[in-house]
Amino acid sequence: MIKDPVYLEAVPLKNVKLNYGLFYIKNEVVRKEVIPYQWKALNNEIADADPSNAIENFRIAAGETGGEFVGMVFQDSDVAKWLEAVAYQLTTNPDEELEKLADSVIDLIEKAQQPDGYLNTYYTIKEPDHKWTNLAECHELYCAGHMIEAAVAYYQASKKRKLLDVVIRFADLIAKKFGREEDKIKGYPGHQEIEMALIKLYKTTGNKKYRELAKYFIDERGKEPNYFDLEWEKRGKTSHWPDQEEIVDLAYFQAHKPVREQATAVGHAVRAMYMYCGMADVAKETGDKQLLEACKRLWNNVTKKQMYITGGIGSSGHLESFTFDYDLPNDTAYTETCAAIALIFFAQRMFHLDPKAEYIDIMERALYNGVLSGISEDGQKFFYVNPLEVRPGVCQQRHDHKHVKPVRQKWFGCACCPPNLARLLASIGQYIYSYNQDSVFVNLYIDSTVDLELNNNEMSLKQETNYPWDGNVKLTILKAKKPHFVLALRIPSWCKQAKLKVNGEKINIAELIDNGYVYLNSSWTARDTVELSLNMPVERVSANPQVRENIGKVAIQRGPVVYCLEEVDNGSNLPAIYLPDSTELKAAYRSDLLGGVTMIRGQAVKLDESAWSGRLYSTENLRYKPIEITAVPYFSWNNRQAGEMLVWINKMN
């Protein structure tokens, strides 16, 4: 089927340059600190951190050293994501030494590849006779997908084909093994990822075989008889995981029904989101409207009933999963960093299929809150789990809180999140702008410059802003070979008052807005300017009453940034604080705080514990004492010292 021309595309990363601001700083941290640090982690060189052994596994598989496989069955994916992050950095910041290092890793990967194209260090080293026998649990296709994505990114960055040729051989092998034909395996991945990767490989090579394979994995999932049940029986009802006596519910894998029939997000959150991304990719490339409608249903369920205010998703630590609508506990929230990253992937894909600001609004929420919280200011510590309330003693002593860490960690035995953060932040430029034949969409307000060709029209645009700390954005046309094109600017859903000027002349936004974007259809020349002013007051946010944990509470938000209280600023026992409705909350930018953030202060009250005199219960009226509270961006918590943290604050009339 022919693609609908209304579909949008991301502006290629190489066409976008970050100039200033929060994400410029984060990108520099990835380049200077995160990538070198994670290389050390992959080589077991971080003191007192969980060992990775990922590079050593490739050396063993390549025959360069001896030894046993160490790590998770999906350990290869950490190397692939690190390589992908490197590729994005090389795209925007050429670095000869880093490229040489990446080339050496690619040489090693090529050497570890089997003659038939197979590439997986776990099965090559540990179980060579059991390939493709445990798709549900053992991540072969997941690891393949991440390596394909790394190869495409590295080819785009360097034009070197070695890793691309490696994954083409592997993808060709997978295409021979899987499919509808009688002699092929009728399976699909237990952990979705390869669906996205195959679409990228198809778009890079033009080989439709990869698009059809991605479509097969989407179409086959959840059909009866269910493949995972058959596979479980065939391998003698044995599990790769020692604490798992039988296959978990099929909903965990989103394999409980065909994907086009699914309407509620269930199961492992990252698997679900990666599958939805694959569905959106296939829908876009094939014009499958039924698949797109399923994506919309699932999007609505995730974002309107199962998402935290931070853009975190997947509330349960048990199986890292969704639970049910409005089940959003704060102190046991799992909200894996990878899940928020995957939500960003899904949001961009949905926007390109259906250009509405609601998708980018969610992308922005997840980016500034649920994703950035996963990495420390110095780039060398990470959160896997991102709760909205933390009390260190509870995390350390209660079994039901054991997944919650009160401080970021140096590394993880299951280290999917750190390199996922690296590849997202290194590629953030490709989320700022989108385009079609005659339009440029400004999605994220990040200080940057973009060069683009629209229907043989070369144009350049400069964006200047200190967003998210203030709402002023200035766009300047630097070049427009042909003057006529559409410039579309997002008006975020959190903004209730926006002003717009073109070359100093006021524009009536209400007359030009459609689905959250202001469309400026004009003839542009160099030095034309567009000035957008987004009113950014401090606001109190309430949760739907169905979210029981937050009844009678409010969260503080300014612009896209959600705020929290930390013990270092407000003392211990944060749940004893009440925020009166009458309190004026004031925002002030502090360049000397947490790398430069806007903090919020206001008067509140706190339960007076001195009135209790050691009693456990009392019938006396509660007493309060006045205090001043300080709130900082949620993403910045735990960068000064360990302690309590709280997002949702008691409300007082």
Side-chain angles (χ1 to χ4, degrees), residues 4 35 179-180 208 225 239 252 258 298 365 376 406 545 552 638:
D4 189 328
I35 286 175
R180 299 178 181 84
K208 295 179 181 179
S239 174
Y252 169 79
L298 291 162
R365 180 176 295 280
S376 63
N638 187 238

Side-chain angles (χ1 to χ4, degrees), residues 427-440:
S427 64
I428 199 65
Q430 65 188 9
Y431 296 88
I432 302 173
Y433 306 96
S434 299
Y435 73 102
N436 60 17
Q437 293 176 346
D438 60 1
S439 304
V440 180

Side-chain angles (χ1 to χ4, degrees), residues 417-430:
C417 296
N420 219 0
L421 278 161
R423 70 175 182 146
L424 175 66
L425 294 176
S427 64
I428 199 65
Q430 65 188 9

Side-chain angles (χ1 to χ4, degrees), residues 25-49:
I25 294 169
K26 296 299 181 185
N27 197 272
E28 285 292 283
V29 169
V30 170
R31 182 170 69 89
K32 295 177 180 178
E33 304 294 339
V34 176
I35 286 175
Y37 180 90
Q38 293 191 1
W39 174 247
K40 290 180 180 179
L42 294 173
N43 285 277
N44 303 344
E45 295 174 3
I46 304 297
D48 303 318

Side-chain angles (χ1 to χ4, degrees), residues 339-382:
I341 291 171
L343 179 59
I344 288 173
F345 296 162
F346 187 33
Q348 186 187 47
R349 285 163 167 82
M350 290 304 295
F351 176 69
H352 287 168
L353 283 161
D354 182 26
K356 296 178 180 176
E358 66 173 277
Y359 301 114
I360 305 299
D361 289 341
I362 296 296
M363 174 196 288
E364 182 179 67
R365 180 176 295 280
L367 182 60
Y368 280 101
N369 303 290
V371 169
L372 283 186
S373 61
I375 188 168
S376 63
E377 188 180 336
D378 64 6
Q380 298 189 7
K381 296 182 182 65
F382 308 92

